[in-house]
Amino acid sequence: ASGTITVQADATITLSSAAGTNNQTKCINTAITPITYSIGGSGTGATITGLPTGVTGSYSAGTYTISGTPSVAGTFNYTVTTTGPCVKPTATGTIIVQANSSITLTSGTASQSKCINTALTNVVYTIGGSATNAALTAGSFPAGVNGIFSGSTFTISGTATVAGSFNYTITATGPCVNATASGTITVNDNATISLSS
């Protein structure tokens, strides 16, 4: 009498793309660096959970590839699970998707008209997304008026001491796309009267 005993190995999974690619940070709407895993042993494929929208995984000929362009911001911890008849090991990683910078008028009026030596109605912009700062990047404020970034807001305030029309552009800056907001401060001079005869 004769027979055969076949002993199958457990599945294996190994990162085959460059070291560190399994944990990466990207801006929203920017393609990730493809992540690949080699599936070995008795592994027949793999499945994945935890990916951001726009990023997918696919298996072909012993390689599992994660690729795509994330369309939502956030921190996404993913798990790749091998398939096969024996022990099915997993591999994990993290894809951090940073939002673009944002700037939103939350108080006051972006464009306003005031008399000279009259306090401006404060203009407050809220800075969001991945922005870490905001600053005047084009145009100017009239003398006596300034803009200050603090926390998550950029505030324009003060009392203009010169007349004229002053266009300004504020830019929220960060690692991704930077947002801008613009307005105009019009400072009217006082009326004058003088004897001309």
Side-chain angles (χ1 to χ4, degrees):
S2 60
T4 301
I5 299 173
T6 301
V7 182
Q8 293 177 305
D10 293 331
T12 62
I13 183 169
T14 307
L15 181 70
S16 54
S17 53
T21 52
N22 55 325
N23 297 302
Q24 53 184 284
T25 299
K26 292 290 182 179
C27 290
I28 192 170
N29 299 321
T30 301
I32 68 167
T33 301
I35 306 164
T36 58
Y37 291 94
S38 292
I39 309 299
S42 62
T44 57
T47 60
I48 193 167
T49 58
L51 291 178
T53 302
V55 177
T56 58
S58 62
Y59 175 79
S60 178
T63 299
Y64 193 82
T65 303
I66 304 167
S67 61
T69 301
S71 57
V72 291
T75 298
F76 300 89
N77 299 307
Y78 67 83
T79 300
V80 181
T81 303
T82 56
T83 57
C86 300
V87 173
K88 304 170 183 62
T90 63
T92 60
T94 301
I95 299 172
I96 298 173
V97 185
Q98 295 178 307
N100 292 327
S101 298
S102 66
I103 182 169
T104 307
L105 180 68
T106 50
S107 180
T109 304
S111 296
Q112 54 185 278
S113 180
K114 292 289 182 180
C115 290
I116 193 170
N117 298 321
T118 300
L120 192 71
T121 300
N122 285 4
V123 183
V124 180
Y125 291 98
T126 297
I127 310 303
S130 60
T132 57
N133 195 15
L136 176 71
T137 53
S140 63
F141 299 133
V145 173
N146 56 34
I148 297 175
F149 176 74
S150 178
S152 61
T153 60
F154 186 89
T155 303
I156 304 170
S157 62
T159 300
T161 58
V162 293
S165 183
F166 301 86
N167 299 310
Y168 67 84
T169 297
I170 308 301
T171 301
T173 56
C176 301
V177 175
N178 294 325
T180 63
S182 299
T184 301
I185 298 171
T186 302
V187 184
N188 299 306
D189 211 347
N190 292 325
T192 62
I193 182 170
S194 58
L195 181 66
S196 57
S197 58

